[in-house]
């Protein structure tokens, strides 16, 4: 089980999907579903250089733009702080089934508020060059 997610440091929105594999096909499903959320909004996603993020057969929807991090720099990805939050609560526990893991994800996701997303993902480099709040209506 893999958890795909996108988080907005601008308004605190979050979008998560549990997927059976971490591959191009599932990333495509994630992008397609994410694109359906607030369709008139252009979404910028910061991603690492995983092969499935750059696959030639990937069809990035028109309302999504991918920004690739430099190699070996996960600390620049705001989403990594959200994932660390999940991992810290997930580790050292025994889950007997994938349904129990899914229940954990659902329960924990409900606790991640807009304010938590904004404070966790608000990296200074995101805000230094553009005043996003003037663009966000």
């Amino acid at each position: 089980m893999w958890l795909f997610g996108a988080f907005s440091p601008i308004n605190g929105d979050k979008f998560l999907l549990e997927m059976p594999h971490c591959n191009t096909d599932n990333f495509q499903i994630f992008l397609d579903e994410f694109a359906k959320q607030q369709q008139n909004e252009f979404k910028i996603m910061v991603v690492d250089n995983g092969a499935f993020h750059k696959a030639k057969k990937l069809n990035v929807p028109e309302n999504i733009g991918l920004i690739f991090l430099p190699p070996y720099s996960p600390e620049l990805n705001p989403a990594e702080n959200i994932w660390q939050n999940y991992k810290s609560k997930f580790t050292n526990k025994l889950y007997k089934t994938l349904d129990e893991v899914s229940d954990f994800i659902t329960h924990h996701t409900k606790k991640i508020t807009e304010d938590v997303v904004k404070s966790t993902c608000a990296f200074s480099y995101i805000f230094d060059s553009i005043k996003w709040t003037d663009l966000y209506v």
Side-chain angles (χ1 to χ4, degrees):
M1 174 182 297
W2 295 86
L3 185 60
F4 286 66
F7 310 94
S8 172
I10 309 301
N11 62 17
D13 283 351
K14 64 182 182 259
F15 180 76
L16 295 116
L17 277 182
E18 290 178 34
M19 302 301 285
H21 303 285
C22 186
N23 59 26
T24 302
D25 292 337
N26 284 313
F27 187 55
Q28 184 68 63
I29 292 168
F30 173 79
L31 289 177
D32 292 343
E33 292 302 312
F34 185 42
K36 293 176 187 176
Q37 308 300 310
Q38 300 174 7
Q39 293 179 10
N40 294 328
E41 174 185 81
F42 186 76
K43 301 152 181 44
I44 299 170
M45 290 181 60
V46 175
V47 295
D48 61 25
N49 289 280
F52 66 94
H53 289 146
K54 292 185 162 190
K56 290 183 183 187
K57 73 177 190 173
L58 196 62
N59 182 19
V60 179
E62 289 185 13
N63 65 338
I64 296 178
L66 302 180
I67 295 178
F68 293 92
L69 291 171
Y72 309 107
S73 58
E75 72 279 0
L76 296 176
N77 189 343
E80 289 298 329
N81 289 345
I82 297 287
W83 299 137
Q84 186 56 44
N85 187 298
Y86 275 88
K87 290 173 190 175
S88 70
K89 292 175 177 44
F90 183 79
T91 56
N92 296 321
K93 294 184 174 64
L94 176 64
Y95 299 94
K96 295 180 182 178
T97 66
L98 286 179
D99 286 339
E100 288 181 10
V101 173
S102 183
D103 290 344
F104 162 82
I105 291 169
T106 300
H107 176 75
H108 190 65
T109 298
K110 288 179 183 176
K111 290 184 173 186
I112 298 177
T113 65
E114 289 178 354
D115 287 339
V116 168
V117 171
K118 287 191 280 189
S119 65
T120 303
C121 296
F123 283 31
S124 62
Y125 80 83
I126 296 170
F127 297 96
D128 287 347
S129 60
I130 298 174
K131 190 158 183 171
W132 296 98
T133 53
D134 288 345
L135 301 174
Y136 182 71
V137 179

